[in-house]
Amino acid sequence: MGLVTNDWKIDILIAISTLCLLLYYKIKSIYTYFEKRNIKYVKPKFLLGSEPDGPLMKIHIAESWDRVYKKLENEKYGGFYHSILPMLMIRDPEYINDILKTSFEHFPDRIFHVDGKTNPLDQHLFFIRGNKWRYLRSKLSPLFSQVKLKWMYEEIENCANIFVECMKEIADGKDVDMKELLARCTTDVISSCAFGVEPQSLKDPNSEFRQIGKDFFDPNKINMLLTFFRIVIPRILLWFKIKTVTTRIRKFFLTTTENILHQRRSTGLVRKDFVHLLLELKEKGSVQIDTKETEKNKTHDESTKENIELTDTLLAAQSFVFFIAGFETTSTTLHYTLYMLAKHKDIQDKARKEVQEVKAKYGQFTFDSLKELKFLNNVISETLRLHPPVTMLIRECTKDYTLPDGTFIEKGLNILIPTYSIQRDPKYFPEPLKFKPDRFENPPANGTYLPFGDGPRICIGKRFAEAVVTTILARSLDKYEFDLSPMDKRGDEDIKLNPRVPTSTPLHGLFLRVHKIDHSN
């Protein structure tokens, strides 16, 4: 009897050993991907990839990929491995422009995969693919036009005014990191415009919208693991039906959207926000599209009809991503901009002078006056160059493609465009670590400045984000002066990024001192 038991254990041990051996050789085979194709690449360490410090969260992933970028110096492109995932890094601006724009039909999708039943809030523009993305993008784009943005501007202005009033509480010359106050401000802007609720977070730091935002970006182990899976093994989320947000977050957004839509329909209330525009879109209901109408160069004739129903859940997903993506990236941009202005007082003074001249011309800040704040917009652009909230663009090759130099790229390969590194490359931006807004007096070359992406998948909320940031900065500069805190000892040292957060969040606080400007003189 004992012999049988031992035989069973030996069989299990042999099976496990064989499986581990097969897995080892499979991974070793993956690591020959670029070598077999004669593409220069950065050699990986087993399981950890070409630059282990990023996946191990010793440094931010953007800084990790920046090392890859520098190791591939003088190459237009090159291979590397993110853990066990082969990726092609595109370094040359002409190639980048080609992938994002000219040859977009070969690279239309991001690498994410969505299970709408398990994760209904994942059915948004940033994640979805193929025809569903094409249809929703075409229908949602007019919602972010200049005309619609001007129509919603009243909500942005209201939140900006509340923010300026709240600044009185910190305008006492004490050391303050404005990250949380700015996050509460942009939470109010987005929740007001995306969900049609009255601003709450600036008045109440514990408001539900603010707490939900904190929970989503909490750098806990589960969130970090989900981020890893989304990039390295995205299909694992589908196979095991893994939920990508907590039950609390999912219920909050689905219930909030359902209640707001019901209230609007039953009362006929009209509010100048995203919800009203979504309701107008919803009236079209279910729409049948033909793949042949949305895909170029389609040659096969099988049935390609697909129904896309504009359900309340689908609309909730769009509001969800508008909120999640909008408040974090916008507050991060404001955070960095105020710090850079405090660090460079001559630039701050020049921006304030422009702001006050424009205000005097119009009598107040208006939507139309924003376009005249040219220097302030250059300041924002320079901040986004140095500190882009989203540090890279990732695309999947969905159709075999040949690079301009004749290199064949097969369907399924993931493409990475290192925004953070390109925007800090001295070839395109001389003295890249210096804060020089005047460099945006002329538009940068195609493929070198990509904080919002480019091409058909450029950030749909670009104009909205620019309007929010410009409005809040203009009002802040008009009323307050910003100085560096003596606590800030960085000098010319670059700002270190938090490796546990996917966006470019500072690892340590950006402390300022805020003073109210006396306009009586």
Side-chain angles (χ1 to χ4, degrees), residues 355-417:
V355 162
Q356 292 175 343
E357 286 174 353
V358 169
K359 181 183 178 184
K361 176 180 177 180
Y362 285 84
Q364 60 181 342
F365 295 111
T366 66
F367 180 79
D368 291 327
S369 71
L370 298 183
K371 64 180 179 292
E372 296 196 27
L373 296 170
K374 293 180 180 179
F375 183 71
L376 181 59
N377 281 302
N378 288 346
V379 167
I380 297 166
S381 295
E382 178 69 342
T383 301
L384 287 169
R385 181 193 67 80
L386 264 175
H387 306 289
V390 179
T391 58
M392 77 292 186
L393 305 174
I394 300 180
R395 297 288 186 270
E396 180 182 323
C397 181
T398 60
K399 187 165 56 173
D400 290 347
Y401 174 72
T402 302
L403 287 168
D405 70 351
T407 300
F408 178 72
I409 303 299
E410 62 189 331
K411 177 181 176 181
L413 182 62
N414 291 328
I415 306 297
L416 182 130
I417 297 169

Side-chain angles (χ1 to χ4, degrees), residues 328-341:
E328 175 68 14
T329 55
T330 307
S331 66
T332 298
T333 301
L334 285 163
H335 194 208
Y336 278 120
T337 305
L338 288 174
Y339 176 79
M340 300 310 290
L341 287 171

Side-chain angles (χ1 to χ4, degrees), residues 108-123:
D109 295 332
R110 296 190 174 99
I111 64 175
F112 311 111
H113 294 267
V114 173
D115 177 354
K117 291 184 179 179
T118 304
N119 295 297
L121 292 179
D122 279 0
Q123 301 177 91

Side-chain angles (χ1 to χ4, degrees), residues 110-114 121-129 230 244 457:
R110 296 190 174 99
I111 64 175
F112 311 111
H113 294 267
V114 173
L121 292 179
D122 279 0
Q123 301 177 91
H124 53 69
L125 272 184
F126 193 81
F127 281 172
I128 58 174
R129 304 158 64 91
R230 278 202 188 280
T244 53
R457 277 202 99 132

